[in-house]
């Protein structure tokens, strides 16, 4: 029995060419390449390009085989691995590295070449393993189990609701949910109800606020302007102080008996008791100072002014634009690279001296890096070389040569005439004596006896 006929493939790539498509769309441009899959899809250059690159992730922390038992040359001086250097090591810095101790040498890491596309490079969760969160859940369950065992040993009520119990122990509702914390105080008037006049105030629904604060010359504007002051004055200020005192007491000692809603009377009594103790200590200190230094007739400072007093200091501190104290010594920023390492008997580092567009050592004026320090001798040699290069000592050398080569011969009585003629000689012309001397000294090239002048040979 013959096999059933194969169904023709359907899809945009297998359709016949549409003659109504304009040529500037159907024709393939020259820069799109020539690989068109035998012309099966004549509109392939118009379709979205398929991504062939696989975006896999590397194995984080994977190491190659067992660790070495002996330190190898060129390995990390801290942990002993061959895949990085000491300044790139992510292990804890040791007091004595593996290079010197030869112990606890770490295995080499596997450096993998991962080809990531544009989206994978910018994916925050690429390579994240959800199994890592199991450690967090296990730690939380262990802590919860230990807490229940401690409460059972203390004789706590097991039937107590966990929600109410956690609500009492969450730092006086400071760590409440975001939805509850964002709600406004119900006794406050909504901002858009402060002024209902359509011509005066403008309410911006996007920012949920009044433009310019709804400031108009009426009672609503005064209420809006003084709203911040109203919240911190009167009983509101006292309530804020009491709440802060209850929080501090719970954070220091863990005592929850000063809860503002559950036991407000105990909180008020404790605040009054602390205020009385503070006043009593102040009076005792003031009496002690009066007995020691006198001045009992001086009037005491009112409590209202005493509470507003600011402690002063004679130390004057001025800050600059960067927020640092002027005149204070600047602390050098520490770097992970080695600094101030002196080698080859040098007392300064390479690059501490600059001359003739070259860097060198300031201790010996040497331009050769990693050279041995010559100290003051190197400085004097460099100075002599600079003087010789600039020609500063040429005059002294010539004078010394003249004094050494001076001969005891008598100077000729007749001074040599200068080679150039003077102005008078040029103006007056040539004399007969000068012409005679010129003829006598001149050598005639056509004279046959000119070659025998100064020779004693005979023909």
């Amino acid at each position: 029995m013959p096999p059933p006929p194969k169904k023709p493939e359907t899809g945009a790539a297998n359709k016949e060419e549409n003659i109504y498509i304009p040529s500037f769309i159907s024709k393939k441009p020259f820069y799109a390449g020539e690989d068109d899959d035998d012309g099966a899809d004549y509109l392939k250059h118009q379709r979205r390009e398929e991504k062939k690159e696989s975006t896999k992730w590397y194995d984080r922390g994977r190491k190659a085989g067992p660790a070495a038992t002996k330190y190898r040359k060129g390995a990390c001086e801290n942990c002993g691995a061959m895949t990085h250097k000491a300044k790139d090591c992510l292990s804890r810095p040791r007091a004595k590295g593996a290079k010197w101790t030869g112990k606890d040498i770490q295995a080499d890491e596997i450096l993998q070449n991962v080809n990531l596309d544009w989206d994978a490079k910018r994916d925050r969760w690429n390579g994240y393993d959800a199994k890592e969160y199991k450690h967090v859940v296990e730690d939380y369950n262990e802590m919860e189990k230990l807490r229940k065992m401690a409460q059972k040993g203390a004789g706590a009520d097991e039937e107590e609701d966990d929600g109410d119990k956690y609500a009492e122990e969450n730092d006086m509702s400071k760590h409440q949910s975001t939805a509850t914390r964002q709600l406004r105080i119900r006794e406050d008037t909504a901002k858009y109800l402060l002024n209902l006049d359509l011509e005066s105030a403008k309410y911006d629904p996007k920012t949920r606020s009044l433009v310019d604060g709804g400031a108009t010359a009426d009672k609503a504007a005064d209420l809006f302007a003084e709203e911040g002051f109203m919240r911190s004055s009167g009983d509101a200020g006292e309530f804020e102080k009491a709440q802060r005192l209850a929080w501090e007491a719970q954070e220091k000692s863990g005592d929850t008996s000063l809860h503002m809603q559950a036991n407000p009377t105990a909180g008020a009594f404790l605040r009054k008791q602390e205020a009385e103790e503070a006043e009593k200590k102040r009076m005792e200190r003031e009496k002690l100072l009066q007995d020691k230094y006198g001045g009992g007739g001086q009037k005491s400072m009112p409590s209202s002014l005493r509470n507003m007093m600011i402690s002063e200091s004679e130390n004057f501190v001025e800050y600059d634009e960067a927020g640092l104290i002027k005149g204070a010594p600047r602390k050098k920023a520490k770097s992970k690279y080695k600094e101030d390492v002196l080698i080859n008997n040098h007392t300064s580092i390479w690059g501490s001296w600059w001359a003739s567009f070259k860097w060198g050592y300031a201790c010996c004026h040497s331009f050769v890096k990693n050279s041995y320090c010559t100290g003051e001798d190197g400085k004097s040699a460099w100075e002599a070389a600079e003087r010789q290069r600039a020609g500063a000592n040429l005059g002294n050398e010539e004078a010394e040569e003249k004094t050494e080569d001076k001969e005891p011969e008598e100077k000729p009585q007749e001074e040599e005439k200068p080679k150039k003629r003077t102005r008078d000689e040029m103006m007056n012309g040539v004399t007969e004596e000068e012409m005679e001397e010129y003829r006598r000294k001149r050598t005639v090239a056509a004279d046959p006896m000119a070659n025998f002048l100064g020779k004693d040979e005979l023909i």
Side-chain angles (χ1 to χ4, degrees):
M1 185 176 181
K6 193 174 183 181
K7 294 183 179 180
E9 297 181 359
T10 58
N14 298 304
K15 289 184 177 180
E16 297 180 358
E17 185 175 355
N18 191 349
I19 61 174
Y20 297 102
I21 296 179
S23 60
F24 68 90
I25 296 178
S26 60
K27 287 184 178 180
K28 191 174 185 179
F30 68 93
Y31 52 82
E34 299 296 335
D35 48 344
D36 54 353
D37 296 339
D38 300 332
D41 187 5
Y42 68 99
L43 293 178
K44 183 180 180 181
H45 60 279
Q46 295 288 350
R47 308 190 192 282
R48 181 177 295 179
E49 184 180 358
E50 298 179 359
K51 296 182 180 180
K52 300 179 181 179
E53 188 178 10
S54 60
T55 59
K56 64 177 182 178
W57 192 248
Y58 61 91
D59 296 336
R60 189 188 301 272
R62 185 179 176 185
K63 296 187 178 182
T69 57
K70 186 179 179 181
Y71 180 78
R72 296 159 291 178
K73 185 178 180 181
C76 175
E77 298 178 357
N78 185 41
C79 67
M82 291 289 293
T83 51
H84 60 269
K85 296 298 181 183
K87 65 178 182 180
D88 301 325
C89 185
L90 299 179
S91 301
R92 177 183 59 83
R94 307 180 187 178
K96 290 185 179 180
K99 180 179 179 180
W100 296 274
T101 60
K103 299 178 181 179
D104 193 15
I105 297 178
Q106 301 296 324
D108 301 341
E109 297 91 351
I110 295 181
L111 303 179
Q112 304 178 25
N113 186 13
V114 183
N115 297 324
L116 301 178
D117 57 359
W118 193 90
D119 295 325
K121 289 180 181 178
R122 291 154 182 82
D123 188 5
R124 291 180 58 194
W125 298 98
N126 192 359
Y128 173 73
D129 189 6
K131 297 178 181 178
E132 296 179 0
Y133 194 72
K134 287 184 178 180
H135 301 292
V136 181
V137 177
E138 291 175 358
D139 294 343
Y140 177 79
N141 293 335
E142 290 291 335
M143 293 299 296
E144 190 72 14
K145 188 183 298 182
L146 293 175
R147 187 187 62 81
K148 290 182 178 180
M149 291 174 61
Q151 286 186 353
K152 187 181 295 184
D157 189 5
E158 298 179 359
E159 297 180 358
E160 185 179 2
D161 188 11
D162 289 344
D164 297 340
K165 177 175 57 181
Y166 292 149
E168 289 291 333
E169 297 179 359
N170 65 349
D171 283 344
M172 300 296 181
S173 301
K174 285 193 295 186
H175 303 292
Q176 54 186 342
S177 63
T178 307
T180 309
R181 190 168 59 249
Q182 296 296 338
L183 295 178
R184 64 179 176 85
I185 305 176
R186 288 301 172 185
E187 55 264 24
D188 291 348
T189 307
K191 300 298 183 296
Y192 56 86
L193 296 178
L194 291 178
N195 194 345
L196 299 179
D197 189 4
L198 299 177
E199 302 297 330
S200 60
K202 178 183 177 183
Y203 176 72
D204 186 9
K206 187 174 182 179
T207 59
R208 299 182 181 180
S209 61
L210 290 173
V211 178
D212 296 334
T216 54
D218 54 3
K219 185 177 179 181
D222 297 339
L223 178 61
F224 186 83
E226 298 182 2
E227 183 180 4
F229 175 75
M230 294 284 289
R231 286 183 179 176
S232 60
S233 62
D235 295 337
E238 293 295 330
F239 179 79
E240 185 178 356
K241 292 179 182 179
Q243 187 77 0
R244 189 183 299 111
L245 180 63
W247 288 345
E248 292 175 356
Q250 181 182 357
E251 289 177 356
K252 290 180 180 179
S253 61
D255 186 11
T256 59
S257 60
L258 299 181
H259 202 287
M260 288 298 299
Q261 285 77 25
N263 197 359
T265 307
F269 177 76
L270 183 60
R271 290 196 306 276
K272 183 178 179 181
Q273 185 178 0
E274 288 187 355
E276 291 177 355
E277 290 179 358
E279 183 68 19
K280 185 178 179 181
K281 290 180 180 179
R282 189 194 64 79
M283 292 296 294
E284 291 178 356
R285 184 172 179 274
E286 185 176 355
K287 184 179 179 181
L288 181 62
L289 292 175
Q290 288 180 359
D291 294 343
K292 186 175 183 180
Y293 298 103
Q298 187 179 4
K299 295 182 180 179
S300 60
M301 185 182 295
S303 60
S304 59
L305 296 178
R306 186 169 57 251
N307 295 334
M308 296 175 61
M309 184 174 59
I310 301 174
S311 60
E312 298 180 355
S313 175
E314 297 295 334
N315 297 331
F316 176 75
V317 179
E318 187 176 359
Y319 296 89
D320 57 3
E321 295 82 358
L324 302 176
I325 299 176
K326 288 186 177 180
R330 290 183 175 272
K331 296 181 179 180
K332 294 183 179 179
K334 294 183 179 180
S335 174
K336 68 176 183 178
Y337 299 97
K338 295 180 180 180
E339 297 181 0
D340 298 334
V341 179
L342 306 177
I343 60 173
N344 295 339
N345 202 25
H346 286 284
T347 58
S348 60
I349 62 173
W350 167 262
S352 58
W353 184 60
W354 168 264
S356 303
F357 298 95
K358 295 180 182 179
W359 292 106
Y361 294 98
C363 56
C364 60
H365 290 186
S366 174
F367 293 111
V368 182
K369 193 175 183 181
N370 297 331
S371 62
Y372 194 81
C373 183
T374 55
E376 296 297 332
D377 296 338
K379 289 185 178 180
S380 59
W382 177 82
E383 292 173 358
E386 284 295 313
R387 286 196 302 269
Q388 185 177 2
R389 184 180 63 85
N393 55 354
L394 291 179
N396 299 333
E397 292 178 357
E398 290 178 358
E400 292 176 358
E401 290 177 358
K402 285 182 180 180
T403 55
E404 293 177 357
D405 300 341
K406 187 175 182 181
E407 297 180 357
E409 295 180 357
E410 296 180 359
K411 296 182 179 179
Q413 294 179 359
E414 297 180 0
E415 296 182 357
E416 296 181 358
K417 295 182 179 180
K419 295 182 179 180
K420 292 185 178 180
R421 293 185 296 172
T422 60
R423 182 174 179 275
D424 297 336
E425 294 175 352
M426 294 176 64
M427 295 295 295
N428 297 333
V430 184
T431 61
E432 290 295 334
E433 292 80 5
E434 292 176 352
M435 287 297 297
E436 184 66 23
E437 185 179 1
Y438 169 74
R439 292 191 191 98
R440 183 165 44 84
K441 292 182 178 181
R442 185 184 63 172
T443 303
V444 182
D447 188 0
M449 300 301 292
N451 296 328
F452 298 98
L453 290 176
K455 299 181 180 180
D456 297 336
E457 298 179 0
L458 297 176
I459 300 177

